[in-house]
Amino acid sequence: MTEQVTRATFDEVMVPNYAPSAVIPVRGEGSRVWDKEGKEYIDFAGGIAVTALGHSHPTLVNVVREQAGQLWHLANVMTNEPALRLAKKLTEKTFADRVFFCNSGGEANEAAFKLARRYAFDHFGPEKNEIVAFNKSFHGRTLFTVSVGGQPKYKEGFEPTPGGIGHCDYNNIEQLKALISDKTCAVVMEPIQGEGGIIPADLEFAKQVRELCDQHKALLVFDEVQSGVGRTGTLFAYEQLGVTPDVLTSAKALGNGFPVGAMLATKDVAASLAIGTHGSTYGGNPMACAIAEAVVDIIDTPEVLNGVNKRHDLFVAGLTAINEKYHVFKDIRGMGLLVGAEVTDSFKGNAKAFLTEATKEGLFVLVAGADVVRFAPSLIIPEEDIAEGFVRLERAVAKVVADNKTA
Ligand SMILES: *Cc1c(COP(=O)(O)O)cnc(C)c1O
């Protein structure tokens, strides 16, 4: 018999690290989701840039069914065909020659940071071990990744954290110059900061980061966990920056909701993760790789990628129209379908209010920090769902504005 559970059950049985909304969705199709009571929601959140092909995509459902009937898992004492096919595709489509599979963005970054240290150790000795990263960046929740991440609150109380890590401001080349040295083994950056507030890298900055890395023989690691797999209108965002990293991490949209992560690297760099240096029990299992292969096949087509840019314009237009009426946003920015709307000073620290009201109106949105409302919908969200979503968002904004006046 199935036990009856409600939102209240969460507080009874779950570790209290999340504060989930009262809504418990039970079914999704495309960019629409329904809860137990049958209430419908439009999904402008995409499970935080994960469900890039929406919910229950028919091709993916078939792939899951077929693979589930064939083979789930073997352990890495053997390889498998889906993993080999996926790795082949990823290397053909990117700068990379080698791939390591894991199960999440944090794990992909953990592998990348370990590889950077190990590569420097192999080629330059143990002194070259420092990692430079950026303030406000987000790279995951393991102890190493919160340490490289630029948000001190995620480290608080978990010390001692790994050392040899420095931070400076994003898009500030002078600060980076002051921090980088011949002891730096890697510079880690998101081509567009996601959790930090949807902040794209300046093209000139990205170019100079690459030059500084070359000058100091440091690896350039791009964290594309959020920006990758079509999110910005190209398979990976680095293609638009005109800068090629040495190591790149991917997860989130790669599995469309099925856990999978990947670290991509050049052949020379990858060689430092020699036999026995690193591993993962589930990493590269046939189930996850079969799904990711289908995701990449569908997304890396002109049809889907061009559609991302078209939908970007629709999102910017929708947000601009609401803003002309209600004056709640001081900046609307982003790349592709990773769009942020920074709230004006009257709503400073309270972007969450827009999320809360939107949910009540039947719309999922996200925040990125305390001041930015974030949108990361399916890359193939139907235009009528975008239109209906903005009708609901306008109602939510009107309520937030009214509440703000009476407060
Ligand atoms: C979400 C995210 C991560 C962490 O991914 P998990 O799958 O939650 O471990 C790392 N880096 C970036 C840029 C992300 O957006």
Side-chain angles (χ1 to χ4, degrees), residues 104-106 109 138-140 190 195 223 225-226 252:
S104 68
N109 284 327
F138 183 78
H139 300 299
E190 297 160 86
E195 304 303 304
D223 178 344
V225 169
Q226 188 154 169
K252 288 204 165 99

Side-chain angles (χ1 to χ4, degrees), residues 171-390:
N171 283 334
N172 186 326
I173 202 69
E174 292 312 317
Q175 283 193 16
L176 181 60
K177 275 183 191 160
L179 195 57
I180 196 169
S181 77
D182 288 343
K183 286 181 74 184
T184 305
C185 69
V187 174
V188 178
M189 74 181 261
E190 297 160 86
I192 170 170
Q193 285 195 332
E195 304 303 304
I198 314 299
I199 303 164
D202 298 336
L203 296 185
E204 187 55 27
F205 173 75
K207 210 175 103 212
Q208 286 181 291
V209 173
R210 178 71 268 183
E211 283 166 11
L212 283 173
C213 284
D214 293 341
Q215 212 174 307
H216 292 282
K217 296 191 163 54
L219 298 179
L220 178 56
V221 178
F222 272 2
D223 178 344
E224 292 230 31
V225 169
Q226 188 154 169
S227 62
V229 197
R231 178 62 46 195
T232 67
T234 45
L235 185 60
F236 289 102
Y238 80 86
E239 299 166 44
Q240 292 176 64
L241 285 188
V243 164
T244 305
D246 303 290
V247 178
L248 179 151
T249 55
S250 178
K252 288 204 165 99
L254 187 58
N256 202 64
F258 197 90
V260 59
M263 179 194 68
L264 282 57
T266 60
K267 184 178 169 210
D268 171 48
V269 173
S272 284
L273 281 191
I275 293 172
T277 51
H278 191 58
S280 160
T281 296
Y282 291 138
N285 70 76
M287 202 66 209
C289 292
I291 295 166
E293 186 193 2
V295 168
V296 170
D297 281 346
I298 298 169
I299 287 180
D300 193 28
T301 53
E303 194 192 338
V304 171
L305 295 177
N306 294 338
V308 170
N309 294 321
K310 190 169 164 207
R311 286 168 177 81
H312 169 90
D313 295 342
L314 292 175
F315 268 80
V316 171
L319 287 166
T320 305
I322 288 178
N323 206 31
E324 274 164 8
K325 237 163 127 179
Y326 297 94
H327 313 288
V328 287
F329 305 127
K330 65 172 167 190
D331 193 24
I332 297 163
R333 57 179 180 249
M335 289 171 82
L337 284 173
L338 188 54
V339 175
E342 184 170 351
V343 297
T344 55
D345 292 347
S346 2
F347 301 95
K348 201 166 175 50
N350 203 17
K352 184 90 196 272
F354 292 89
L355 184 157
T356 307
E357 287 305 329
T359 310
K360 288 186 201 158
E361 293 298 329
L363 176 71
F364 295 161
V365 302
L366 300 161
V367 294
D371 301 326
V372 176
V373 186
R374 170 173 39 167
F375 305 87
S378 157
L379 308 183
I380 56 170
I381 180 172
E383 285 182 28
E384 57 267 32
D385 289 3
I386 298 178
E388 175 60 23
F390 274 104

Side-chain angles (χ1 to χ4, degrees), residues 103-173:
N103 314 290
S104 68
E107 280 182 35
N109 284 327
E110 187 83 20
F113 306 160
K114 283 179 72 178
L115 171 58
R117 285 237 170 114
R118 188 73 187 214
Y119 178 81
F121 176 88
D122 288 349
H123 294 268
F124 307 98
E127 298 297 307
K128 191 176 176 70
N129 60 42
E130 290 178 5
I131 292 173
V132 172
F134 296 99
N135 292 325
K136 292 187 170 176
S137 67
F138 183 78
H139 300 299
R141 297 293 204 128
T142 67
L143 202 53
F144 200 176
T145 55
V146 291
S147 305
V148 173
Q151 304 197 35
K153 64 173 191 241
Y154 293 145
K155 286 190 292 196
E156 203 180 294
F158 297 117
E159 296 91 350
T161 49
I165 299 161
H167 295 93
C168 65
D169 285 348
Y170 194 67
N171 283 334
N172 186 326
I173 202 69

